[in-house]
Amino acid sequence: VVNKVSPDTAAFDAGLMYRDVIVGAGKDEITSFSTLQQAVNKHAAGDEIEIRFLRGGQLLKAKVRLRRLKEN
């Protein structure tokens, strides 16, 4: 479940919203935050992957261009 979407992030650019439920990333099924991390870590910054998510019971898809995390 998406708990927060910060501006200037790949999730924000893809249109993900608070309380969306991510169920797939690329070819992987997502069942936890850990499986999401594993799916994303298979790719490099700049790669584009499809994210599948539930919003209001409806399955939606979005293309996400991965970025490097900014350091604080």
Side-chain angles (χ1 to χ4, degrees):
V1 176
V2 176
N3 292 319
K4 180 180 178 182
V5 179
S6 299
D8 197 32
T9 63
F12 180 85
D13 291 347
L16 289 172
M17 298 175 68
Y18 173 72
R19 303 217 46 163
D20 285 345
V21 179
I22 298 173
V23 296
K27 296 179 182 181
D28 297 299
E29 180 180 339
I30 304 303
T31 57
S32 66
F33 183 72
S34 177
T35 58
L36 177 59
Q37 286 179 310
Q38 291 170 8
V40 170
N41 287 339
K42 293 178 183 179
H43 302 276
D47 287 352
E48 185 175 80
I49 64 171
E50 181 181 85
I51 299 292
R52 296 173 303 286
F53 58 98
L54 297 172
R55 179 182 295 156
Q58 184 176 12
L59 179 64
L60 302 172
K61 298 176 184 179
K63 294 286 185 179
V64 177
R65 182 157 313 276
L66 300 177
R67 302 183 197 176
R68 291 194 187 281
L69 290 176
K70 293 183 179 180
E71 293 185 26
N72 294 332

